[in-house]
């Protein structure tokens, strides 16, 4: 396991009014295997291609699907930086949707959806010196970036970006290739 950092964004098409939320407004839901609450220091996560508003991810802010994801729309991954990364360490970044097809809108969902969790991006062997600048060109892309894309009528989803320090240094990763991004066992991936 080791040290990790986290950023949270919420992406939605619509926000609906409901009764009491099942999930905490700080990002946590009872079924989460990773802690979806924000910590300090925060990761710096910025969608640099947005034109109408800031693309900076603050813990739990809302983005429009059409701007950073969408069905059949290829969007560039965000710029991810961690200015206090250890320059001689290696890191792994995960982007996970724990809510896919949850038949509700976060935080008013009753449980994870039938496709959850969804693997949206995995990059390993990120040198600490490159993480400071956000340059992942020397890193290992384990799973290509898939922009957030809640299904029609699916409401808002949380998308967590988790950064883990690789305590054993450079790691050999098996790329996912064309495997489904749905129902990803990120707990097993982290354990391996």
């Amino acid at each position: 396991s080791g040290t990790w950092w986290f950023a949270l964004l919420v992406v939605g098409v619509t926000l609906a009014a409901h009764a009491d939320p099942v999930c905490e407004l700080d990002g946590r839901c009872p079924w989460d295997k990773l802690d979806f609450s924000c910590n300090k220091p925060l990761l710096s996560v910025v969608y640099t291609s947005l034109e109408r508003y800031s693309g900076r991810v603050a813990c739990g802010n809302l983005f429009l699907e059409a701007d950073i994801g969408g069905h059949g729309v290829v969007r560039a991954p965000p710029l991810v930086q961690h200015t206090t990364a250890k320059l001689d360490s290696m890191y792994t970044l995960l982007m996970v949707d724990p809510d896919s097809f949850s038949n509700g809108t976060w935080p008013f969902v009753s449980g994870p959806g039938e496709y959850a969790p969804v693997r949206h991006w995995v990059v390993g062997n990120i040198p600490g010196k490159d993480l400071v600048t956000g340059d992942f060109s020397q890193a290992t892309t384990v799973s290509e970036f898939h922009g957030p894309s809640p299904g029609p009528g699916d409401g808002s989803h949380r998308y967590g970006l988790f950064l883990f320090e690789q305590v054993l240094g450079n790691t050999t990763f098996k790329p996912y290739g064309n495997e489904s991004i749905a129902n990803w066992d990120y707990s097993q991936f982290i354990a391996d």
Side-chain angles (χ1 to χ4, degrees), residues 163-183:
L163 181 70
F164 296 87
E165 183 177 356
Q166 295 173 201
V167 293
L168 300 178
N170 202 345
T171 301
T172 301
F173 291 98
K174 175 189 162 275
Y176 282 95
N178 293 329
E179 291 180 34
S180 173
I181 64 172
N183 301 116

Side-chain angles (χ1 to χ4, degrees), residues 3-192:
T3 306
W4 61 276
W5 297 265
F6 173 75
L8 172 72
L9 65 142
V10 177
V11 176
V13 181
T14 60
L15 290 176
H18 293 280
D20 294 328
V22 173
C23 299
E24 300 294 326
L25 294 178
D26 67 359
R28 294 177 284 192
C29 292
W31 56 86
D32 292 337
K33 295 176 186 170
L34 286 172
D35 187 356
F36 274 79
S37 61
C38 294
N39 58 5
K40 296 199 189 278
L42 293 173
L43 287 177
S44 173
V45 179
V46 180
Y47 283 89
T48 59
S49 61
L50 298 186
E51 297 175 4
R52 294 177 290 241
Y53 55 93
S54 168
R56 182 165 302 282
V57 174
C59 192
N61 57 336
L62 180 68
F63 285 84
L64 297 175
E65 174 189 5
D67 290 334
I68 63 171
H71 297 281
V73 176
V74 177
R75 298 286 187 214
L79 174 67
V80 178
Q81 297 172 289
H82 190 53
T83 57
T84 60
K86 297 177 189 172
L87 300 182
D88 59 344
S89 288
M90 301 294 267
Y91 294 86
T92 298
L93 176 74
L94 311 180
M95 183 172 177
V96 178
D97 171 0
D99 304 322
S100 186
F101 275 86
S102 54
N103 296 321
T105 191
W106 181 86
F108 305 99
V109 294
S110 59
E114 64 182 287
Y115 298 125
V118 174
R119 180 184 71 248
H120 280 272
W121 194 25
V122 181
V123 182
N125 295 326
I126 306 167
K129 65 181 179 52
D130 295 342
L131 187 56
V132 170
T133 64
D135 177 8
F136 291 3
S137 62
Q138 301 302 311
T140 303
T141 299
V142 182
S143 181
E144 294 287 335
F145 178 76
H146 297 272
S149 55
D154 198 25
S156 298
H157 290 208
R158 298 170 298 152
Y159 293 83
L161 288 98
F162 295 89
L163 181 70
F164 296 87
E165 183 177 356
Q166 295 173 201
V167 293
L168 300 178
N170 202 345
T171 301
T172 301
F173 291 98
K174 175 189 162 275
Y176 282 95
N178 293 329
E179 291 180 34
S180 173
I181 64 172
N183 301 116
W184 184 46
D185 187 354
Y186 60 82
S187 297
Q188 185 61 50
F189 176 85
I190 293 167
D192 289 345

